[in-house]
Amino acid sequence: MAKEISRREALKGGMALAGIAAGISGLTMSALAQGEEVVPFTDFPADFNPNPKPGVRYLDTRTIQSFITPSDQFFTVQHYGQPVVDPATYKLKITGLIGESLELSLDQLRKLPRAEAVVGFECSGNGKARVNGLAGNARWSGTSLMALLKDCGLKPSAREVVFFGADKGTEEVAHGGSTTQVEQHFARSLAVEDAMRPEVLVAYEMNGAPLSLNQGAPVRLIVPGWYGIANIKWLAHIHVQDSRFMGKFMAREYVTLRGHKVGDETLWNETSVSRIQLKSMVARVTRTGSKCRILGFAMNDGTSLRSVEVRIDSGPWQTATIDNSSTLYSWKLFTLNWEDPTSGEHTLVSRAIDATGNIQPTEEELELKKTRWENNAQFARKVMIG
């Protein structure tokens, strides 16, 4: 039987946090100024629908007005529907290769040392077909997963930490020429080293309010620098084990197939979607008189950015201004002033460059990536200047 942790145990010294930056400053650079008007994209899908079906929501990136994405605009997807979990009876189970199994109520989680972080992420299936609308940036509050696991007493043989959501569905699993149908919970895992990073949160608030149903109420996981698939919603159970977790969403889905040239041979490698690939996009163009302003965002795995650059038509790459509200794991809003644009249609594209010298790739450079996941190609936009 799992042991229900007492308040005294929950607050003992082992739960001390490893400080996560929480402060953010107000942003005015993305809001429309007096007399400023949006210049429409000529290539924006006419049938774009930010709410294509229940439980699914895209961010209309043309409407970004602030550094923090409002909770009711943050993107939403799920795989097994949206389970309604009663906060009053909620229990987070922690089992496996730990000193003793635990159960924590929502109230007990809230009494643990509090941590906050501004974290932006996107769905690994995000791309130009959805106008890169599966993205957002929010302030998350909760408690440190690292501190929680330390308090549980990880055993030396622990290799992976598996996170199970309350959402579940029936899957057909093939094996040995036959198939078996099983009901399973949505689940993903992290290597112990990744789970023990101090910035990983067991979160119960978003932008200063309790999580909504769309965002995994009452508790979800936030893994800064990783794609949305790792940020388990409706978190119900944490299990520590000594072997690789091979669930559907680790081993069969959300797997990227990528080729690598080695001499004259192409070697193919399949990897589970994990850290956010370096990416940026132009989200909006506005005009005030004869001057235009280009706004976009960049995101990656937390590696420091060296710059974001924008190219207009076939001109030179120009360095954009990155908003100083940016934090290590937030998205980075950027702007570029476009002086006296000529009339006619123009093509705009951005690229991010990180501190290690990695440059956001072109579509041609991703030719050997054969799956839709982790599409971080440069994204050309077209606007008409009248």
Side-chain angles (χ1 to χ4, degrees), residues 260-275:
H260 300 273
K261 288 287 187 181
V262 180
D264 295 331
E265 187 177 7
T266 300
L267 301 181
W268 295 97
N269 188 28
E270 293 178 77
T271 56
S272 186
V273 167
S274 58
R275 293 170 179 82

Side-chain angles (χ1 to χ4, degrees), residues 326-352:
S326 301
T327 64
L328 191 63
Y329 293 109
S330 73
W331 67 9
K332 285 77 175 170
L333 296 184
F334 65 85
T335 57
L336 180 75
N337 291 327
W338 182 10
E339 303 286 344
D340 297 318
T342 58
S343 298
E345 189 174 59
H346 297 273
T347 300
L348 313 176
V349 66
S350 66
R351 68 179 185 185

Side-chain angles (χ1 to χ4, degrees), residues 181-197:
Q181 284 194 338
V182 295
E183 185 178 64
Q184 60 182 24
H185 288 265
F186 182 85
R188 287 273 302 188
S189 70
L190 293 172
V192 166
E193 306 82 62
D194 292 318
M196 294 296 285
R197 290 162 49 212

Side-chain angles (χ1 to χ4, degrees), residues 65-82:
Q65 293 289 325
S66 61
F67 175 63
I68 295 295
T69 306
S71 300
D72 61 358
Q73 295 179 25
F74 203 97
F75 84 93
T76 299
V77 293
Q78 65 278 314
H79 300 83
Y80 294 138
Q82 296 183 324

Side-chain angles (χ1 to χ4, degrees), residues 238-270:
I238 299 173
H239 184 75
V240 183
Q241 60 189 50
D242 62 1
S243 59
R244 183 185 176 197
F245 177 67
M246 297 286 287
K248 172 181 177 178
F249 299 99
M250 289 293 295
R252 302 188 300 279
E253 286 286 347
Y254 291 88
V255 173
T256 296
L257 174 64
R258 195 184 301 262
H260 300 273
K261 288 287 187 181
V262 180
D264 295 331
E265 187 177 7
T266 300
L267 301 181
W268 295 97
N269 188 28
E270 293 178 77

Side-chain angles (χ1 to χ4, degrees), residues 25-51:
S25 59
L27 179 73
T28 58
M29 63 182 291
S30 66
L32 294 181
Q34 183 80 22
E36 189 176 17
E37 60 182 7
V38 174
V39 180
F41 291 111
T42 59
D43 58 351
F44 201 90
D47 60 350
F48 177 77
N49 180 3
N51 301 103

Side-chain angles (χ1 to χ4, degrees), residues 260-317:
H260 300 273
K261 288 287 187 181
V262 180
D264 295 331
E265 187 177 7
T266 300
L267 301 181
W268 295 97
N269 188 28
E270 293 178 77
T271 56
S272 186
V273 167
S274 58
R275 293 170 179 82
I276 298 173
Q277 301 292 312
L278 181 63
K279 182 174 186 175
S280 70
M281 66 163 284
V282 171
R284 187 175 71 226
V285 178
T286 59
R287 185 173 185 175
T288 306
S290 62
K291 298 180 179 180
C292 287
R293 182 175 65 157
I294 299 168
L295 168 77
F297 66 85
M299 57 175 54
N300 67 340
D301 63 358
T303 302
S304 296
L305 285 187
R306 178 184 298 174
S307 63
V308 177
E309 299 176 336
V310 178
R311 185 168 64 188
I312 302 170
D313 299 323
S314 56
W317 288 102

